[in-house]
Amino acid sequence: MLEHLIQKDQQLLIYLNNLGTEFWDPVFMYITHQINWWPFFLLLIFLLLKKISLQQFGLLVLVLTVFFVFTDQFTNLVKYSTGRLRPVNDPLISPYLRILRKAGSPSFFSGHASNSSGSILIIFLILKKYYKYAWVLFFFPLLFAYTRIYLGLHYPLDIICGYIFGISSGFMFFFVFKFFNNKYHLKDKQKRNLFHS
């Protein structure tokens, strides 16, 4: 059963990776780096500060910092325990891929997927009562993690498991935020949401 799943995972990766074209290659190479999403991150900060207090924002930054440390460490533990080769480093798979860049660490599971999905979930759960279209934020982790498949750096199963772990961790850390927010009676700005029509 596991062997069949891995085979299907490999086949799907080869198919999706080969959908890439030279036109889109530089685009996906650019957006696979977190730092290049800085306009999106600035927008998130702006949206948050319009609705929550500085104390709440400080708490959120602290919670997200601990979240990232937790997910990074756990992801690395799983990666080096399983030792699954990245597609670009697997001699059985790499001849069938469009290889645009290399990476040395193991493949399973994706830290990009876990970090992006979990952090966006935390922010979404805070913003959803203020912004009707807050769900659009999930476009970021979906596209961000897909770049790893496009570049042949992760298998689809790496991404899916990363999402599952990230979302599970995101819920856990959101409740941590909520606990301390209630404990210290932090209040949001309660301004009228201009995005509702």
Side-chain angles (χ1 to χ4, degrees), residues 118-130:
S119 58
I120 288 298
L121 176 66
I122 294 168
I123 293 170
F124 166 77
L125 291 172
I126 293 171
L127 290 181
K128 68 175 184 175
K129 65 179 178 179
Y130 305 116

Side-chain angles (χ1 to χ4, degrees), residues 119-175:
S119 58
I120 288 298
L121 176 66
I122 294 168
I123 293 170
F124 166 77
L125 291 172
I126 293 171
L127 290 181
K128 68 175 184 175
K129 65 179 178 179
Y130 305 116
Y131 301 105
K132 183 163 67 170
Y133 298 106
W135 56 266
V136 173
L137 297 178
F138 287 106
F139 174 75
F140 164 63
L142 291 173
L143 179 59
F144 187 49
Y146 181 75
T147 66
R148 315 306 283 173
I149 294 175
Y150 186 97
L151 299 174
L153 296 172
H154 279 293
Y155 293 96
L157 194 58
D158 299 338
I159 302 298
I160 292 170
C161 290
Y163 280 147
I164 292 171
F165 175 71
I167 289 171
S168 301
S169 301
F171 274 116
M172 180 175 70
F173 278 88
F174 171 72
F175 287 118

Side-chain angles (χ1 to χ4, degrees), residues 73-126:
Q73 294 305 310
F74 190 86
T75 300
N76 286 332
L77 176 64
V78 174
K79 278 186 176 183
Y80 287 98
S81 297
T82 58
R84 187 185 197 188
L85 291 175
R86 290 183 184 264
V88 294
N89 298 330
D90 189 335
L92 298 177
I93 302 298
S94 59
Y96 304 101
L97 298 177
R98 302 175 66 255
I99 298 177
L100 301 176
R101 57 170 292 190
K102 293 274 193 175
S105 61
S107 184
F108 183 83
F109 49 85
S110 169
H112 280 71
S114 59
N115 284 334
S116 60
S117 62
S119 58
I120 288 298
L121 176 66
I122 294 168
I123 293 170
F124 166 77
L125 291 172
I126 293 171

Side-chain angles (χ1 to χ4, degrees), residues 41-53 56-57 60 64 122-124 126-127 130-131 189:
F41 299 143
L42 286 179
L43 175 63
L44 283 183
I45 293 171
F46 171 75
L47 293 176
L48 284 163
L49 289 177
K50 277 177 62 71
K51 298 301 178 182
I52 65 177
S53 66
Q56 287 175 309
F57 184 76
L60 175 60
L64 286 175
I122 294 168
I123 293 170
F124 166 77
I126 293 171
L127 290 181
Y130 305 116
Y131 301 105
K189 293 181 178 178

